[in-house]
Short mmCIF file of all heavy atoms in Angstrom, two decimals:
data_model
loop_
_atom_site.label_atom_id
_atom_site.label_comp_id
_atom_site.label_asym_id
_atom_site.label_seq_id
_atom_site.Cartn_x
_atom_site.Cartn_y
_atom_site.Cartn_z
N ILE A 436 -1.43 21.43 4.16
CA ILE A 436 -1.95 20.12 4.53
C ILE A 436 -1.33 19.57 5.82
O ILE A 436 -1.82 18.60 6.39
CB ILE A 436 -1.77 19.14 3.36
CG1 ILE A 436 -2.37 19.72 2.08
CG2 ILE A 436 -2.39 17.78 3.63
CD1 ILE A 436 -3.82 20.15 2.18
N GLY A 437 -0.24 20.15 6.28
CA GLY A 437 0.28 19.70 7.56
C GLY A 437 1.78 19.78 7.68
O GLY A 437 2.32 20.49 8.51
N SER A 438 2.49 19.05 6.82
CA SER A 438 3.94 19.02 7.00
C SER A 438 4.62 20.14 6.22
O SER A 438 4.16 20.52 5.15
CB SER A 438 4.49 17.66 6.56
OG SER A 438 4.15 17.38 5.23
N GLU A 489 4.69 19.50 11.57
CA GLU A 489 4.99 18.08 11.79
C GLU A 489 6.48 17.70 11.84
O GLU A 489 6.83 16.59 11.45
CB GLU A 489 4.28 17.21 10.73
CG GLU A 489 2.77 17.44 10.66
CD GLU A 489 2.07 16.58 9.60
OE1 GLU A 489 2.61 15.52 9.22
OE2 GLU A 489 0.97 16.97 9.16
N MET A 495 3.47 9.45 9.29
CA MET A 495 2.14 9.80 9.81
C MET A 495 1.42 8.66 10.50
O MET A 495 0.44 8.89 11.21
CB MET A 495 1.27 10.43 8.71
CG MET A 495 0.91 9.52 7.59
SD MET A 495 0.11 10.40 6.22
CE MET A 495 -1.54 10.66 6.88
N MET A 556 -3.36 18.25 14.20
CA MET A 556 -3.09 17.42 13.04
C MET A 556 -3.00 15.95 13.45
O MET A 556 -2.12 15.57 14.22
CB MET A 556 -1.75 17.89 12.45
CG MET A 556 -1.43 17.37 11.10
SD MET A 556 -2.64 17.79 9.85
CE MET A 556 -2.55 19.57 9.84
N GLN A 602 -7.57 18.65 11.99
CA GLN A 602 -7.55 17.89 10.73
C GLN A 602 -7.24 16.43 11.02
O GLN A 602 -6.31 16.11 11.75
CB GLN A 602 -6.49 18.48 9.80
CG GLN A 602 -6.36 17.71 8.49
CD GLN A 602 -5.41 18.41 7.53
OE1 GLN A 602 -5.49 19.63 7.35
NE2 GLN A 602 -4.52 17.66 6.92
N ASP A 604 -6.34 13.19 8.94
CA ASP A 604 -5.99 12.73 7.59
C ASP A 604 -6.49 11.32 7.34
O ASP A 604 -6.29 10.42 8.16
CB ASP A 604 -4.46 12.71 7.43
CG ASP A 604 -3.88 14.12 7.40
OD1 ASP A 604 -4.58 15.03 6.95
OD2 ASP A 604 -2.71 14.27 7.82
N ALA A 606 -5.62 9.64 4.25
CA ALA A 606 -4.97 9.48 2.94
C ALA A 606 -5.19 8.08 2.37
O ALA A 606 -5.21 7.89 1.16
CB ALA A 606 -3.48 9.78 3.08
N HIS A 646 -8.30 15.06 5.04
CA HIS A 646 -7.48 15.23 3.83
C HIS A 646 -7.30 13.88 3.15
O HIS A 646 -7.13 12.85 3.81
CB HIS A 646 -6.11 15.80 4.21
CG HIS A 646 -5.10 15.65 3.13
ND1 HIS A 646 -5.13 16.39 1.97
CD2 HIS A 646 -4.05 14.81 3.00
CE1 HIS A 646 -4.13 16.00 1.19
NE2 HIS A 646 -3.46 15.05 1.78
N CYS A 648 -5.62 11.98 -0.66
CA CYS A 648 -4.78 12.25 -1.83
C CYS A 648 -4.46 11.00 -2.64
O CYS A 648 -4.61 9.88 -2.16
CB CYS A 648 -3.48 12.91 -1.38
SG CYS A 648 -2.66 12.06 -0.05
N CYS A 731 -1.02 18.20 -1.03
CA CYS A 731 -0.66 17.29 0.06
C CYS A 731 0.39 18.00 0.92
O CYS A 731 0.67 19.18 0.71
CB CYS A 731 -0.13 15.99 -0.55
SG CYS A 731 0.08 14.66 0.65
N GLY A 732 0.94 17.26 1.87
CA GLY A 732 1.96 17.82 2.77
C GLY A 732 3.22 18.22 2.00
O GLY A 732 3.50 17.69 0.92
N1 LIG B 801 -0.65 15.75 7.17
C1 LIG B 801 0.18 14.92 6.34
C2 LIG B 801 1.28 15.79 5.74
O1 LIG B 801 1.03 16.94 5.52
C3 LIG B 801 -0.60 14.29 5.23
C4 LIG B 801 0.24 13.37 4.40
C5 LIG B 801 -0.54 12.57 3.39
O2 LIG B 801 -1.64 12.87 3.04
N2 LIG B 801 0.04 11.52 2.87
O3 LIG B 801 2.37 15.31 5.46
#
Side-chain angles (χ1 to χ4, degrees):
I436 307 306
S438 57
E489 305 180 23
M495 66 189 284
M556 192 59 62
Q602 178 174 315
D604 291 330
H646 164 72
C648 50
C731 190

